[in-house]
Amino acid sequence: MTQDPNDPAISADLEADAMKDQLKKDVASWSAARGKDTAETFAAPAAKPAPVKRATRAKVAVAETPAEPAVKKPFKMSYDGTTDRDYIAHRINLGAR
């Protein structure tokens, strides 16, 4: 059985192999470049940064917040500022029951 070079399966395999080879070359070059960068970084001692002076905060008298009331009002729906009685009357006039 002979292999046809124009066979799509074979050409796909060849392309995949070529991609793998290229990726291996890229990884090797990136690793080498990264190795150089880290070697150069560790070769020279880093200068210590100047100490940062922290700003002092002025003491401000904090007013005590009033405690929440013991009993909260229940949730109440607002109808654009109208009372419940007016809203219900309006809905009844529109025919809602």
Side-chain angles (χ1 to χ4, degrees):
M1 182 168 163
T2 59
Q3 294 181 354
D4 183 19
N6 295 328
D7 186 22
I10 294 174
S11 63
D13 288 341
L14 292 175
E15 287 181 29
D17 291 340
M19 272 189 180
K20 287 179 186 177
D21 291 339
Q22 184 61 40
L23 285 173
K24 286 179 185 178
K25 289 177 187 176
D26 289 343
V27 169
S29 67
W30 291 334
S31 296
R34 185 175 174 116
K36 284 183 187 177
D37 291 343
T38 48
E40 291 171 3
T41 303
F42 290 118
K48 290 184 180 179
V52 177
K53 292 183 180 180
R54 296 184 181 221
T56 57
R57 294 184 181 174
K59 293 187 178 183
V60 178
V62 178
E64 290 185 28
T65 56
E68 290 188 30
V71 179
K72 290 184 177 181
K73 292 183 179 179
F75 175 78
K76 187 171 182 181
M77 189 76 172
S78 172
Y79 304 106
D80 293 329
T82 62
T83 63
D84 289 338
R85 174 181 273 168
D86 293 338
Y87 180 74
I88 292 169
H90 173 70
R91 295 295 295 168
I92 289 172
N93 287 338
L94 291 176
R97 295 185 186 201

